[in-house]
């Protein structure tokens, strides 16, 4: 399953494209674990928050995050893999 999390309003044309492709859209990070997360919003805060959703042996790709500060849960990432 594919899920996109973004801040576009429900009536935005990009959301219509997602729905036509049967892609789930939401504006909040879900309480779930994912095998692959791609962060392309340019938000280091969002990238750090999305790490909590990364499942065991998951892949996390950061395309757009800017410099930021925050704790990276390396121990959790190692223990879950």
């Amino acid at each position: 399953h594919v899920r996109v999390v973004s801040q576009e309003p429900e009536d935005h044309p990009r959301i219509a494209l997602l729905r036509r492709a049967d892609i789930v859209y939401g504006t909040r990070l879900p309480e779930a674990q994912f095998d692959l997360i791609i962060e392309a919003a340019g938000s280091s805060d969002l990238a750090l928050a999305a790490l909590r959703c990364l499942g065991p042996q998951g892949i996390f790709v950061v395309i757009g995050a800017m410099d930021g500060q925050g704790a990276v849960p390396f121990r959790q990432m190692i223990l879950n893999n």
Side-chain angles (χ1 to χ4, degrees), residues 16-61:
L17 290 173
L18 295 173
R19 290 204 170 105
R20 274 189 259 156
D22 290 327
I23 296 174
V24 176
Y25 173 74
T27 57
R28 295 179 186 251
L29 287 173
E31 295 291 326
Q33 291 191 327
F34 296 94
D35 297 325
L36 171 65
I37 296 175
I38 301 172
E39 193 293 314
S43 169
S44 58
D45 291 337
L46 178 59
L48 289 169
L51 276 174
R52 292 184 311 229
C53 299
L54 188 63
Q57 300 182 358
I59 298 169
F60 192 82
V61 179

Side-chain angles (χ1 to χ4, degrees), residues 2-3 5-8 10 12 17-19 26 30 34 39-40 45 47 52 56 70 72 76-77 80:
V2 175
R3 176 185 302 259
V5 177
S6 187
Q7 295 300 311
E8 278 91 359
E10 294 284 333
H12 194 282
L17 290 173
L18 295 173
R19 290 204 170 105
F34 296 94
E39 193 293 314
D45 291 337
R52 292 184 311 229
V72 177
Q76 176 187 343
M77 290 169 37
N80 287 341

